[in-house]
Amino acid sequence: LSTGQRVVTVQKGPLYRTEGSHVTLWCKVSGYQGPAEQNFQWSIYRPSAPEREVQIISTIDPSFPYAIYTQRVHSQGIYVERVQGDAVLLHITKLQEQDAGVYECHTPNTDERYFGSYSAKTNLSVIADTLSASMAPQVLTRAEGEVVELTCEVSKSTTQHTHLSVGWYHLQGAGESHTEEVLTLSKDFILRPGPSYAQRFLVGDVRMNKVGNTTYKLSIGGLEPSDRGQLYCEAAEWIEDPDETWKDISRKQTGRTSLAVMSRGRDFSVDINAAESSLSEGDTLQLNCMVGVQRSDSRHFQVLWLLNGVEVARVDPHGVLIWEDKYEERAKLGQLRAFKHSNTVYVLTIYEVGLKDNGTYHCSVSEVKTPGDFHSIQTNLSSGIQVDVKPIGYRMRLSVSTSTPQVMAGDALILLCEVEGATRPVSVQWWHLPLQHPGPRVLVATMEQDGTLSLGSAYQDSRTRGSLRLEKASSGTFTLVIPNTLDEGDGGRYECEVTEWSQGQSWTEEGETAVTVSSMAGLGLHATLRSRIATIRYGQSFELVCQVSANYTFEEVPVSVGWLFQPSPPTGHYHQLIWVFPNGTVVWGAVQPHFQGKAQLTKAATSFRLHIHNAVAADKGTYQCEVEVWRRNTPPLGQPAATTRSNAVGIKVVLPESKLQVATEESSVDIAPGADTAIECRIVFAQNNSQFAITWYLLPPPPADANPLQIVRADYSNILEYGAEFSSPAQKSRFLSQRMSSNVFWLRILSANPRDQGRYYCVVEEWLWLADGWYKLGEGASGRTTLEFKLPGEQRELQLENTNHSISVREGEEVTLHCLLQGARLPSTHLSATWFRGEESGHIRRLLTLHRDGAIEYTRESLARRLHLLRPAAGDFSLTLRSVEAGDAGVYHCQVQEWQQQNEGKDWALQALACSGYTQLTTIPPESTVLSRICSSPPLLNFILYLPLVLILLLVLAVFCWYFKFGK
């Protein structure tokens, strides 16, 4: 024998039910061990918070429901019906819009070990009830054997696919004790007659036809005396559930039509009916007396209305009304009315009935030969109809309760007042009677008959106890919610006073319930976080332990625990990893989703553990735990009673060690101007599954402390990124990064020119794909390759002045930087010159170029107005800077190139080049002393001369300035 696996199954969803309907959901368990009677717990996950469990009802724990469901559970608005030991039905007697969501049925474990499923879920959607059925009430008289036709309007506007059924029903007698089905069109579009009408349906006397989209017509031919009574129509809307069964989700009944059937011959029948026979003081009673007779137009009837056998009024054949003396005064006041509606229908109406109108009513009908004849041919008495008038408020019963009988200060109070039997609108008042301070009761809140709400003066400030709510949950259920109790003073008795009103009269019922509010002393809550190891190898697991201490044991108060994480490097604040709420709900943070699926949570006594499997680089950072202690009976309402956050623990994740080796040999390349060349970068050793990012750099010629210039970077996906100095289309087309093999990379330089001289090298980054992304393991730089130009033909040198200088100049002034060619040059050659400036960052920037044809090219147009090549002589390439600025400071030098045309019409070839010495330019801010500013400003001086004589000191200063400026 082997043990079965526990399986919980629930009614298959999604289910659609109408608001206000009675709903049932079944749940059963199989394959379990333990007692034959299993327990069940129902919860809901609402669409507004799909991850948050809200407990509804339990077969084992009366305190299981959350506060929002407590009153409905206590009043049997929600209950569980046990079908058998391992199967139940959840009943919701009046479905509300907020009942929509995912329902979970859970069975607590009774097995020796956990094996199988312990819960199942289904989805319930609440839709609007759009079904409508209507028929105008009528009073009809038909002769025996004639036909009666009635129409019923039925419509719906449900978006889901539903079917309709329409049925007609016959009510015999004055009461509702005997109702029989006439004919029904089922949801499957099949006509089914009731048992009493089956034979007449087969011969075609009873029919139903659909006229148009919404009209259903009933025809009853060959009327019989048994057909007299009341007829009404009932419509039902049906939907097919996922288990392929059909469920009626709404039913509606129409008003009733009274039918009198006249017998054949001279016999006649008399019937009496009332729209409502059970009344309260102030209601209206209407009685109809119907005479069933053939050829009524040629016959004469006198009708007497009787109460308990005593005449109330009579109507003669002419319709003349005569009241008995005791009723005449009320008739004059408009409280009574009797009239002849037709020769076969007579009506008695009593407005504002009282207790004196209780009793049995009859109508007696006498036929006379002529209207003035006092001798009746035949007299028939109707059956009696009992009218029961109750005093106002007699039915009203009050039940006052609370779902929060004992709370801590700060928790919510939820008070329930249930009214039954009220037939008129009621007003409700809640009063507080403190236990510790006897005295007059304090008004909490009032709801008038029309729903108007007002708060007592002590409860109007929402900053003290929150926003009080007095809600009418249903026609007779009133809920008072005080969100935040202040202290023990909010305990005591709460009294609900309900008043029913009618015609200026009132009836009041009272009920009360008691609550206790206790203060919660400081919990002394403290949390400490620790980890056995702080440096973790990639792929290793680690565990964090959050140790909590408090004055209370955690079995007494609900506790929620959150784990927080700040990545390294810090992003400014901690991210929420995971929260575990008091009801066991687990909520994962959205910012760090990679933890979900690899984090394990455990709890032991007062310690909470977070175990992280398979550590990755993204797990590196700082961790904290946060503990919240809630007051009893509070979740999910209110705020936690205390919160504490632990110390921070840093976790470092060490990536796999890089084995990268890059060739570091120094080399040089000689190249003729305009030729192509390649610089090699070779990887000596790396891991087999590594990828590489290659960045090429150029170290320009002296000064030696110049920073390297980034030429181009090719990442591990071979996406290129050029440096600022090489980002122009012309430069991009000349400098190309290529991978020649798995470990060899080239930098190709096309059409090299003298400005490309310098030392080249590469930086190799080693990248490795790990579980959660690409990671850089390390990097290495290659040796330098020096690129030099070998000039063609006869070697000759240009002689430039190469003395280094240092110049200081004040901002706003002008300075000339010299570049002088020494010695003669060949007459057939042309010269070009380029000026450079070295900045503090180490970058050397080209300022302008004088081409061999005499054209000047500025790197920036804004420099053209301040940089000038005057060239007083052919070999003088001195640069003049006008209006010197602070940003002009730096190290300047020029480069001169000699070009010669090979043959007539041929290209020009570089014959020689030379660089000048370096000039260090330092800028000096302009003069800023008060004296110099005053003396250099005649308007200001004139202003001073006209100052009052009392300002002697300033006058002396002005004279001194005048002497300083003009005296010398």
Side-chain angles (χ1 to χ4, degrees):
L1 297 175
S2 62
T3 304
Q5 177 176 336
R6 176 182 287 254
V7 177
V8 176
T9 52
V10 73
Q11 188 166 344
K12 188 177 181 181
L15 302 173
Y16 295 91
R17 297 294 185 264
T18 54
E19 187 175 359
S21 63
H22 186 133
V23 175
T24 60
L25 300 174
W26 60 259
C27 178
K28 59 185 178 181
V29 59
S30 60
Y32 55 88
Q33 297 176 333
E37 185 170 286
Q38 293 286 296
N39 283 300
F40 295 82
Q41 294 175 333
W42 286 90
S43 300
I44 184 175
Y45 298 85
R46 291 177 166 176
S48 58
E51 301 297 327
R52 183 181 180 186
E53 178 188 14
V54 179
Q55 298 172 183
I56 302 175
I57 192 170
S58 168
T59 60
I60 189 176
D61 182 7
S63 65
F64 182 79
Y66 277 5
I68 54 176
Y69 284 103
T70 302
Q71 66 182 47
R72 297 173 69 186
V73 172
H74 286 175
S75 64
Q76 291 291 294
I78 298 177
Y79 63 93
V80 173
E81 175 190 359
R82 189 177 289 279
V83 181
Q84 55 190 45
D86 54 9
V88 297
L89 279 175
L90 172 67
H91 288 261
I92 304 176
T93 58
K94 191 172 183 181
L95 192 64
Q96 300 177 8
E97 184 179 1
Q98 58 266 32
D99 293 331
V102 176
Y103 284 75
E104 181 179 41
C105 175
H106 174 75
T107 59
N109 182 39
T110 60
D111 308 331
E112 294 180 357
R113 62 191 180 95
Y114 282 91
F115 184 49
S117 66
Y118 290 81
S119 65
K121 295 180 179 180
T122 189
N123 191 7
L124 174 65
S125 296
V126 180
I127 60 177
D129 185 0
T130 62
L131 180 64
S132 170
S134 62
M135 178 180 68
Q138 303 178 73
V139 177
L140 302 177
T141 301
R142 295 289 185 273
E144 186 177 355
E146 291 184 352
V147 177
V148 65
E149 291 185 343
L150 301 174
T151 58
C152 177
E153 295 289 333
V154 178
S155 64
K156 65 180 180 69
S157 58
T158 310
T159 57
Q160 286 71 28
H161 176 71
T162 58
H163 288 188
L164 289 177
S165 64
V166 179
W168 291 89
Y169 296 86
H170 178 220
L171 190 64
Q172 287 188 327
E176 299 187 7
S177 58
H178 183 55
T179 301
E180 56 184 355
E181 180 183 10
V182 179
L183 187 60
T184 296
L185 176 63
S186 73
K187 66 180 184 303
D188 305 316
F189 313 109
I190 298 174
L191 284 172
R192 294 192 178 95
S196 302
Y197 290 85
Q199 185 60 36
R200 297 168 69 183
F201 171 74
L202 292 175
V203 299
D205 283 344
V206 177
R207 304 187 307 276
M208 186 194 301
N209 295 314
K210 185 177 182 183
V211 183
N213 293 327
T214 60
T215 305
Y216 297 82
K217 183 169 73 173
L218 172 70
S219 297
I220 303 177
L223 284 172
E224 301 174 359
S226 60
D227 293 328
R228 68 188 183 192
Q230 298 182 80
L231 293 164
Y232 66 90
C233 166
E234 181 179 89
E237 186 174 8
W238 301 76
I239 193 167
E240 187 177 18
D241 287 342
D243 61 1
E244 298 183 350
T245 62
W246 286 84
K247 171 65 179 172
D248 56 324
I249 59 175
S250 180
R251 286 184 176 270
K252 297 290 173 64
Q253 285 186 7
T254 67
R256 297 170 183 177
T257 290
S258 298
L259 174 64
V261 180
M262 300 178 294
S263 302
R264 296 182 182 277
R266 294 202 61 85
D267 289 340
F268 61 89
S269 62
V270 179
D271 290 309
I272 188 172
N273 63 52
E276 179 64 53
S277 59
S278 182
L279 306 167
S280 296
E281 285 185 284
D283 288 345
T284 297
L285 171 65
Q286 179 174 309
L287 298 171
N288 297 318
C289 181
M290 295 176 292
V291 181
V293 65
Q294 289 186 335
R295 298 185 299 277
S296 62
D297 293 343
S298 60
R299 303 174 72 169
H300 309 286
F301 299 103
Q302 178 175 271
V303 177
L304 273 66
W305 289 99
L306 308 171
L307 170 58
N308 297 327
V310 178
E311 182 176 339
V312 175
R314 67 174 58 203
V315 180
D316 70 10
H318 291 294
V320 177
L321 172 63
I322 302 173
W323 293 99
E324 281 298 304
D325 292 342
K326 60 185 296 187
Y327 294 99
E328 191 164 0
E329 184 63 26
R330 292 177 65 188
K332 290 180 180 178
L333 295 175
Q335 298 177 1
L336 300 177
R337 184 187 180 205
F339 64 94
K340 178 180 179 180
H341 182 271
S342 68
N343 207 31
T344 58
V345 178
Y346 299 83
V347 179
L348 171 64
T349 302
I350 303 177
Y351 302 100
E352 299 181 14
V353 294
L355 299 179
K356 58 183 175 293
D357 298 317
N358 275 329
T360 302
Y361 287 80
H362 294 83
C363 67
S364 174
V365 180
S366 300
E367 183 179 7
V368 296
K369 289 184 179 180
T370 61
D373 194 350
F374 293 100
H375 301 284
S376 63
I377 301 173
Q378 179 180 347
T379 299
N380 287 348
L381 183 67
S382 72
S383 58
I385 184 168
Q386 182 68 36
V387 174
D388 188 14
V389 180
K390 300 292 185 182
I392 181 171
Y394 84 98
R395 297 177 182 172
M396 191 164 61
R397 298 292 181 271
L398 212 57
S399 173
V400 183
S401 62
T402 176
S403 60
T404 54
Q406 293 182 335
V407 299
M408 292 291 183
D411 292 350
L413 283 183
I414 302 175
L415 305 168
L416 179 68
C417 186
E418 295 178 282
V419 184
E420 295 180 355
T423 59
R424 293 289 185 277
V426 298
S427 60
V428 178
Q429 285 187 323
W430 279 97
W431 299 85
H432 179 215
L433 296 86
L435 287 178
Q436 298 178 352
H437 305 285
R441 60 183 186 173
V442 179
L443 179 64
V444 180
T446 300
M447 180 178 285
E448 302 294 346
Q449 299 162 260
D450 59 0
T452 303
L453 177 66
S454 60
L455 300 178
S457 58
Y459 294 85
Q460 291 178 358
D461 188 355
S462 61
R463 294 172 297 180
T464 55
R465 294 178 178 85
S467 298
L468 270 70
R469 301 194 305 276
L470 177 53
E471 300 172 344
K472 187 176 183 180
S474 62
S475 59
T477 303
F478 300 86
T479 304
L480 174 66
V481 179
I482 302 176
N484 300 310
T485 50
L486 291 181
D487 48 34
E488 296 94 330
D490 282 340
R493 292 176 296 144
Y494 285 84
E495 182 180 274
C496 178
E497 186 178 279
V498 178
T499 304
E500 183 178 9
W501 300 82
S502 177
Q503 303 296 328
Q505 300 181 8
S506 65
W507 182 276
T508 300
E509 288 283 343
E510 298 176 353
E512 65 179 38
T513 186
V515 297
T516 302
V517 179
S518 304
S519 65
M520 195 175 208
L523 294 175
L525 191 64
H526 181 71
T528 303
L529 185 64
R530 54 186 172 83
S531 175
R532 189 168 57 87
I533 50 178
T535 301
I536 313 296
R537 294 194 308 274
Y538 183 88
Q540 187 181 0
S541 298
F542 64 95
E543 186 175 70
L544 298 166
V545 180
C546 182
Q547 188 69 41
V548 185
S549 61
N551 297 337
Y552 285 44
T553 62
F554 289 136
E555 285 72 16
E556 295 180 3
V557 291
V559 178
S560 64
V561 178
W563 292 91
L564 309 173
F565 172 68
Q566 185 182 63
S568 180
T571 57
H573 61 279
Y574 279 83
H575 300 155
Q576 176 182 308
L577 289 186
I578 184 173
W579 272 96
V580 182
F581 289 95
N583 60 5
T585 301
V586 177
V587 177
W588 290 91
V591 180
Q592 298 288 336
H594 75 277
F595 282 96
Q596 192 168 356
K598 57 181 269 180
Q600 180 181 358
L601 298 168
T602 56
K603 177 181 181 290
T606 58
S607 66
F608 302 87
R609 296 172 183 266
L610 174 65
H611 192 90
I612 305 292
H613 298 274
N614 242 347
V616 297
D619 299 339
K620 177 183 177 182
T622 306
Y623 293 80
Q624 283 186 316
C625 68
E626 185 170 306
V627 180
E628 294 178 338
V629 177
W630 300 73
R631 295 183 175 94
R632 291 189 297 271
N633 301 325
T634 298
L637 299 175
Q639 297 295 323
T643 301
T644 186
R645 185 176 288 195
S646 73
N647 56 297
V649 170
I651 296 295
K652 182 178 180 181
V653 179
V654 180
L655 297 176
E657 185 178 355
S658 174
K659 308 280 186 175
L660 178 66
Q661 295 181 21
V662 182
T664 58
E665 295 87 359
E666 303 282 333
S667 62
S668 63
V669 175
D670 293 334
I671 182 175
D676 299 341
T677 188
I679 311 296
E680 183 179 272
C681 178
R682 182 165 50 86
I683 299 172
V684 178
F685 182 82
Q687 299 187 43
N688 290 334
N689 52 352
S690 295
Q691 295 293 326
F692 305 103
I694 308 296
T695 306
W696 290 96
Y697 291 94
L698 166 62
L699 280 169
D705 59 350
N707 289 340
L709 303 177
Q710 178 183 323
I711 303 172
V712 62
R713 182 179 188 274
D715 67 9
Y716 54 78
S717 301
N718 203 33
I719 296 175
L720 301 180
E721 179 186 356
Y722 281 85
E725 304 290 336
F726 296 85
S727 59
S728 67
Q731 294 288 69
K732 288 182 179 180
S733 65
R734 293 200 310 112
F735 290 87
L736 308 175
S737 179
Q738 296 179 342
R739 184 169 188 167
M740 308 308 296
S741 66
S742 61
N743 66 328
V744 176
F745 299 84
W746 280 8
L747 174 65
R748 288 191 176 274
I749 306 175
L750 307 181
S751 301
N753 61 60
R755 287 196 296 271
D756 300 334
Q757 287 186 116
R759 292 175 295 162
Y760 291 79
Y761 67 96
C762 70
V763 173
V764 181
E765 300 170 9
E766 182 180 16
W767 291 80
L768 187 65
W769 173 262
L770 300 176
D772 57 339
W774 287 96
Y775 288 94
K776 179 181 174 181
L777 302 185
E779 66 177 39
S782 70
R784 272 54 169 172
T785 298
T786 303
L787 179 63
E788 296 179 341
F789 279 86
K790 183 178 180 182
L791 300 179
E794 179 184 353
Q795 298 294 315
R796 64 185 303 273
E797 293 185 0
L798 287 177
Q799 297 294 324
L800 280 179
E801 181 185 357
N802 57 6
T803 305
N804 295 334
H805 302 278
S806 179
I807 300 176
S808 296
V809 62
R810 192 174 300 279
E811 293 177 23
E813 296 182 356
E814 181 180 291
V815 67
T816 298
L817 308 177
H818 296 289
C819 178
L820 301 175
L821 180 64
Q822 298 177 345
R825 64 180 179 88
L826 299 175
S828 61
T829 62
H830 287 191
L831 297 176
S832 64
T834 303
W835 272 96
F836 300 89
R837 182 179 70 218
E839 300 174 345
E840 287 186 7
S841 62
H843 292 305
I844 297 177
R845 298 192 180 277
R846 183 168 64 92
L847 299 178
L848 61 80
T849 297
L850 172 66
H851 293 284
R852 61 177 179 270
D853 59 359
I856 297 179
E857 176 191 356
Y858 293 91
T859 56
R860 287 185 300 169
E861 288 299 324
S862 60
L863 297 176
R865 64 182 180 84
R866 296 198 305 113
L867 302 182
H868 297 276
L869 284 175
L870 300 179
R871 299 203 65 193
D876 189 346
F877 299 96
S878 298
L879 176 66
T880 298
L881 278 75
R882 294 178 178 171
S883 300
V884 171
E885 299 174 355
D888 293 332
V891 179
Y892 290 77
H893 75 279
C894 73
Q895 182 188 78
V896 177
Q897 300 170 353
E898 185 179 51
W899 301 82
Q900 187 172 33
Q901 197 171 25
Q902 300 295 334
N903 293 305
E904 187 174 354
K906 297 290 185 178
D907 292 336
W908 291 79
L910 180 65
Q911 297 299 310
L913 59 85
C915 288
S916 70
Y918 294 93
T919 300
Q920 175 72 51
L921 178 63
T922 303
T923 61
I924 302 173
E927 292 180 303
S928 58
T929 64
V930 174
L931 187 62
S932 62
R933 288 186 178 179
I934 295 177
C935 294
S936 61
S937 174
L940 182 58
L941 185 60
N942 292 335
F943 173 78
I944 293 174
L945 291 175
Y946 285 93
L947 282 175
L949 293 178
V950 291
L951 301 176
I952 298 175
L953 180 60
L954 292 180
L955 182 58
V956 171
L957 181 61
V959 172
F960 176 77
C961 290
W962 181 87
Y963 176 80
F964 176 78
K965 185 172 183 180
F966 300 105
K968 291 184 178 182

